[in-house]
Amino acid sequence: MSGADAAASFDPLRPRLARIAYRMLGSVADAEDVVQDAFLRWLATDRDQIREPEAFLRRVVTRLCLDQLKSARARRETYVGPWLPEPVVEAEEEVEDVTLPLLMALERLSPLERAAFLLHDVFGVNFDEVGETIGRDPAAARQLASRARTHVRAARPRYDLPKEKGLEIAAAFFAASRSGDMGALRGLLAADVSLWSDGGGKVPAGLKPIHGIEDMIKLHSSLARFFAKEMSRVVRYGMINGLPGFVTIEPGGVLQTTALAIEEGRIVGIYVMRNPDKLGHLGAVH
């Protein structure tokens, strides 16, 4: 088979392989690198001997990701401030099955737990294949996925929020937080709301998460003074890693994404990405 034949059999699988890699790594760029590496290995493989190309490539991608996670963990130990996965702003037809809080919860799992959970619970791979992929027997793979499920249960969505309602709340949050209307803002927030902002040490951002409505009001009261001098500009509203939110240009020209976790009509989590290294793939949106 030629290189063109290899590409013809690989390209239809590329989006699904990229989704696996992104959910394993939390990085768009790293996921793209892994998928490209998988394609090079596909080129070098005797493809006539492969009965199930998708299963074969799923194993290749997962194993490459497991190798990547070892070095990624070491890098994150020295990361400045909270670490958030790179935001994916979804196209209209996409429906995200792994939300941002779940991606953050996956970070607390071991690489093998993460792989077993994603392959089985998210992508529907049977435990025989999961075990073969991660080098464990099916029973061990089942146990890894079960442990992971227990750890991430709290991060899975508990309330089905219509997209339109979520984007309506996102627009109201933007308006209240930028105008300094603390009464309106308070009405949008849950009592136990939390905020994470990731600047990666490259741009100003909180070095620790903020928890509780009073601290949140205090933060936005102080930010309102900055917005009075230079207002944020909304590039677009949309779903970001399965959560309603918006992409903005902030004072000083900083590109930012804000995603909101909402339960029972109140905002319980605010996830702000400001690290330019993690927003390069969004260059086209502004």
Side-chain angles (χ1 to χ4, degrees):
M1 288 173 69
S2 68
D5 291 332
S9 57
F10 185 90
D11 285 347
L13 303 175
R14 188 181 287 271
R16 189 169 173 84
L17 297 173
R19 285 197 293 273
I20 293 172
Y22 172 71
R23 287 156 179 73
M24 283 287 291
L25 301 173
S27 165
V28 174
D30 289 348
E32 289 172 350
D33 288 346
V34 160
V35 172
Q36 190 56 29
D37 195 353
F39 175 65
L40 295 177
R41 295 180 185 221
W42 183 238
L43 272 175
T45 297
D46 183 356
R47 296 180 294 281
D48 290 331
Q49 302 303 310
I50 306 299
R51 292 199 310 276
E52 297 182 49
E54 183 172 353
F56 173 84
L57 288 166
R58 198 161 47 220
R59 285 194 292 274
V60 170
V61 164
T62 302
R63 289 169 181 170
L64 288 169
C65 288
L66 288 171
D67 290 340
Q68 281 250 15
L69 282 173
K70 294 170 188 172
S71 58
R73 289 196 156 222
R75 291 197 305 272
R76 283 171 202 168
E77 287 174 5
T78 59
Y79 197 80
V80 178
W83 181 94
L84 295 177
E86 291 181 16
V88 172
V89 181
E90 295 149 36
E92 287 299 315
E93 68 276 6
E94 291 177 328
V95 177
E96 183 55 70
D97 52 0
V98 177
T99 62
L100 202 152
L102 180 53
L103 279 171
M104 291 174 66
L106 293 176
E107 286 296 307
R108 299 193 289 271
L109 303 179
S110 73
L112 290 181
E113 287 172 339
R114 186 168 183 157
F117 172 81
L118 285 170
L119 288 173
H120 181 266
D121 284 38
V122 176
F123 291 100
V125 177
N126 66 61
F127 280 118
D128 288 341
E129 184 184 324
V130 174
E132 183 181 350
T133 298
I134 65 176
R136 297 291 188 273
D137 62 47
R142 186 183 299 274
Q143 189 172 33
L144 285 164
S146 177
R147 279 209 305 266
R149 212 172 291 126
T150 300
H151 287 307
V152 305
R153 186 172 290 130
R156 305 211 80 168
R158 286 173 284 178
Y159 303 95
D160 186 19
L161 179 73
K163 177 180 175 182
E164 295 74 19
K165 179 63 176 174
L167 293 178
E168 182 183 309
I169 292 173
F173 173 79
F174 175 82
S177 62
R178 270 50 177 190
S179 68
D181 186 345
M182 294 301 110
L185 184 63
R186 187 181 289 274
L188 293 167
L189 302 176
D192 58 350
V193 62
S194 296
L195 179 147
W196 291 262
S197 57
D198 181 340
K202 306 295 177 68
V203 296
L207 295 178
K208 292 181 179 178
I210 294 172
H211 303 288
I213 191 169
E214 296 307 328
D215 284 347
M216 203 70 67
I217 294 294
K218 194 181 300 181
L219 169 68
H220 283 93
S221 294
S222 63
L223 288 175
R225 293 195 294 274
F226 292 97
F227 296 132
K229 298 173 186 173
E230 185 181 353
M231 181 54 71
S232 308
R233 177 170 65 85
V234 176
V235 176
R236 61 174 288 194
Y237 290 98
M239 301 301 285
I240 300 171
N241 294 102
L243 301 179
F246 43 84
V247 182
T248 51
I249 305 295
E250 295 296 326
V254 176
L255 181 64
Q256 175 176 304
T257 63
T258 303
L260 306 173
I262 300 168
E263 294 180 0
E264 297 186 307
R266 296 292 181 103
I267 298 167
V268 297
I270 304 168
Y271 305 91
V272 176
M273 176 57 70
R274 293 171 58 81
N275 184 346
D277 293 346
K278 295 185 178 183
L279 293 166
H281 63 286
L282 299 184
V285 295
H286 73 291

